[in-house]
Amino acid sequence: MTEKPPLDSTEDRAWLGEGQSETELAAVNGPGGADDDRPAWDSKIQYVLAQVGFSVGLGNVWRFPYLCHQNGGGAFMLLYVFLMLIVGVPLFFMELAAGQCIRQGSIGVWKHISPKLSGIGYSSCMVCFYVALYYNVIIAWSLFYMGNSFQYPLPWEHCPIDVTTNDTGTHAALMLIKMRHRKYATYLVFVFCPHSTVKECAGSSPTSYFWFRKALNITNSIEETGGFNPIMTGCLLAAWAIVSLAMIKGIKSSARVMYFSSVFPYLVLFIFLIRGLMLDGAMDGITYMFYPKLETWGSVQVWRQAATQVFFALGLGYGSVIAYSSYNPINNNCHRDALMVSGINFMTSVLASLVVFVVLGFRAKNIALRCVAENLGLLNVMTTHEWNQHLVKQGWPWINTTGPSSVPLADYRQWYSEHGAMMAPNITDCSLEEEMNKGVEGTGLAFIAFTEVMALFPLSPFWSTLFFLMLLNLGLSSMFGTMQGILTPLMDNFSLLGRHRTLLTVSSCVLGFLFGMLFTQRSGNYFVTMFDDYSATLPLVVVVIFETISVAWVYGTDRFLDDIEVMLNWRPPVVYKYLWKYVCLLAMIGLLAASLLRMIFKRPTYTAWNQSTASEMTLEYPGWALGMIVMLIVFACLPLPIGYILSMWKNRRGGNSEEGESPEVHRELYTKCSSNEQLDSNSHHRAPSEEDEARPRVVFLPLGHELYRLLPQDGEDEDEEQDTGV
């Protein structure tokens, strides 16, 4: 069959209108068209590992379990799956198909659909830059902890000695007591040597003290900068160096790293799950995790948090999904990829939740047993006083106080319910459920709760090294995708940058390190929290809303499904048309409204560490910090209106010669026909005129053996998809 040439001149392009996709204008020069020199994945497994590595990140390990913990356990999981199926998977499929169809980064994809929407891609790049800045700081923290794991005992296992005291003899006795009675060390420390350890550590815990004082050396609030932390600055430099070296050759080099960084975390999670199931309290944690509390479905905040987690778990709006998909062969089954990657992402979240709740169950059981030991120790001291001897002769306190380890938690709680009110105020209840209700997320889960548990394991340095190596790989695989969401669109749209890929990669990493030094101040953790909470959430939701509008309403869902059908040789279910046009769009608008209302009616706050009280406290952001939050959101969203205004300005400058001619006059519809179908004179279509023969014809994607014939647009075709303005 004869190939139809593309439209070459801008005059011929104008009659297609703004809504016409330039993917239909691709030259048919071969299987790859004009992109024969574009890098490509070596294999399908390489691509899948890259997508899974990007979407499965630190949030699956420390955010999803916390949301399950706080929002109804199994009920939240059911809600998450529901929203993932009706919102997450369709939007993920849309980004995969757009990137694979147009074979461009995020800037090029939306610019091809309509020049007025070119700002979508630039906003995605801005958000990726924000995320890359603070995400690499978390990788730096993991490097610091992994480096400190190669020693025994672990440095966060015990509180350091207060150098202002000379009670060395007491310290030696204390260490002996800890070795013999590890489970009851807290009580014995309080009784025998209250001034031998650093006050800040004694008032909190060894793991909290190491995190806030040794690792971060944190200030009391965001308003106190405190200077730079030299150790963390060095770790951040090392983290950016790793990213730069891994990505210096583009997807060819980063994909090789993915074979390890994407697979290794699963190996570690399974090892931790097997080890955790052997711990006392593991089943209590799993029961707590899966027990459904369906009443939480009545809370708007639960729906908002579930939708937000679906949104971020799949990496929607970053442009990384589009960038990775653009390196695929044009006939790759992106629909199957969307279902597979989404399923793997969810199952990874469930696996991580199992590991987290097993460990938290063991931690809660350990804390509860330590509480029992402390209370029974106090009771034992009380029984030795002579004024209580007459009660002792009567059987008081009606529980074994000489062997705390032999008293089960259930027996102690039964005794406390019957006799606790008669005891002194120092005798407290020891509840496993109360400890489990204390939700831990984010850095508190990874760097405080998990480190506390691993210090109790035999061969604790091995488990600690394994855990932080897993965090390092989870962070790096997501970091590679985030950087690809920046580099690919820039190289695709600026030929100068595309010719100097290595220089662009290194320069981006150097720039990221310089900006990232904001987070290596002593107050840097507060800025990490600020960026994590506010720099990406609202801009990404806005970006995805405009992406959905561009596909569903500007380009047209029927036309988009036609393109996918040409790529895949089969048409996706029509349900996607209505999900894209209505369900996904309304869900994202609702999420945006809920997030905005929450910011307006609830003043943004952050959690600060108070050194004098050795405890966390919630503070409101000062005025300049609120201004910084607003500027971050505005700068990320600013490319959207700027792109629209620039496109309108260019159209007005170049459109004077065509004034008075509406593009609607020339809009035509397509129907697909087989290559052997004849358009003879008996057809109801008019015969082409000489003017039509002279005009080049447009084609869809250069695939298969299908041809497309032009249909006249008359008044009877009311049901066909129509283009709209932005």
Side-chain angles (χ1 to χ4, degrees), residues 553-587:
W553 295 96
V554 176
Y555 184 68
T557 50
D558 287 332
R559 189 179 299 168
F560 190 60
L561 289 173
D562 285 341
D563 290 348
I564 297 175
E565 182 179 4
V566 173
M567 287 195 302
L568 307 185
N569 291 323
W570 63 274
R571 192 176 186 84
V574 71
V575 68
Y576 282 110
K577 172 181 177 179
Y578 301 101
L579 290 175
W580 287 328
K581 292 187 70 172
Y582 305 110
V583 178
C584 295
L585 185 58
L586 292 177

Side-chain angles (χ1 to χ4, degrees), residues 241-290:
I242 293 173
V243 173
S244 178
L245 291 173
M247 301 195 64
I248 201 165
K249 296 297 182 182
I251 65 169
K252 294 296 183 182
S253 56
S254 63
R256 295 188 183 96
V257 181
M258 288 288 184
Y259 282 113
F260 178 78
S261 62
S262 296
V263 175
F264 180 75
Y266 290 95
L267 177 64
V268 176
L269 285 174
F270 277 111
I271 292 174
F272 267 95
L273 179 60
I274 295 171
R275 178 67 182 89
L277 290 173
M278 302 177 185
L279 299 173
D280 187 22
M283 297 311 298
D284 295 313
I286 293 177
T287 302
Y288 189 92
M289 167 188 167
F290 282 107

Side-chain angles (χ1 to χ4, degrees), residues 128-188:
C128 281
F129 185 67
Y130 288 164
V131 174
L133 289 180
Y134 76 83
Y135 212 86
N136 227 21
V137 177
I138 301 175
I139 296 176
W141 294 341
S142 301
L143 283 172
F144 174 79
Y145 266 82
M146 190 174 70
N148 279 276
S149 298
F150 294 99
Q151 51 186 307
Y152 185 80
L154 293 171
W156 52 81
E157 190 168 340
H158 303 296
C159 284
I161 304 304
D162 191 348
V163 295
T164 61
T165 65
N166 297 317
D167 195 3
T168 56
T170 304
H171 172 57
L174 169 66
M175 294 305 295
L176 181 61
I177 291 170
K178 280 191 173 182
M179 290 173 62
R180 292 182 177 177
H181 304 286
R182 186 169 184 163
K183 190 179 292 184
Y184 319 122
T186 303
Y187 170 68
L188 294 174

Side-chain angles (χ1 to χ4, degrees), residues 356-368:
V356 167
F357 276 89
V358 162
V359 171
L360 291 182
F362 168 68
R363 176 174 175 265
K365 188 69 172 286
N366 206 28
I367 293 174

Side-chain angles (χ1 to χ4, degrees), residues 23 153 165 249 280 344-345 367 386 449 484 508 519 622 664 723:
T23 59
T165 65
K249 296 297 182 182
D280 187 22
I344 292 175
N345 187 292
I367 293 174
E386 56 184 24
Q484 205 69 53
S508 300
F519 308 105
E664 297 292 336
D723 294 332

Side-chain angles (χ1 to χ4, degrees), residues 545-624:
I545 287 175
F546 276 91
E547 287 182 0
T548 310
I549 291 173
S550 66
V551 168
W553 295 96
V554 176
Y555 184 68
T557 50
D558 287 332
R559 189 179 299 168
F560 190 60
L561 289 173
D562 285 341
D563 290 348
I564 297 175
E565 182 179 4
V566 173
M567 287 195 302
L568 307 185
N569 291 323
W570 63 274
R571 192 176 186 84
V574 71
V575 68
Y576 282 110
K577 172 181 177 179
Y578 301 101
L579 290 175
W580 287 328
K581 292 187 70 172
Y582 305 110
V583 178
C584 295
L585 185 58
L586 292 177
M588 300 313 298
I589 292 175
L591 178 59
L592 177 64
S595 301
L596 282 173
L597 291 175
R598 187 170 183 270
M599 285 187 63
I600 293 172
F601 292 107
K602 184 179 179 182
R603 184 183 173 96
T605 59
Y606 67 101
T607 302
W609 176 259
N610 188 293
Q611 184 175 3
S612 58
T613 61
S615 61
E616 293 180 320
M617 56 184 180
T618 301
L619 300 177
E620 292 185 345
Y621 282 107
W624 62 266

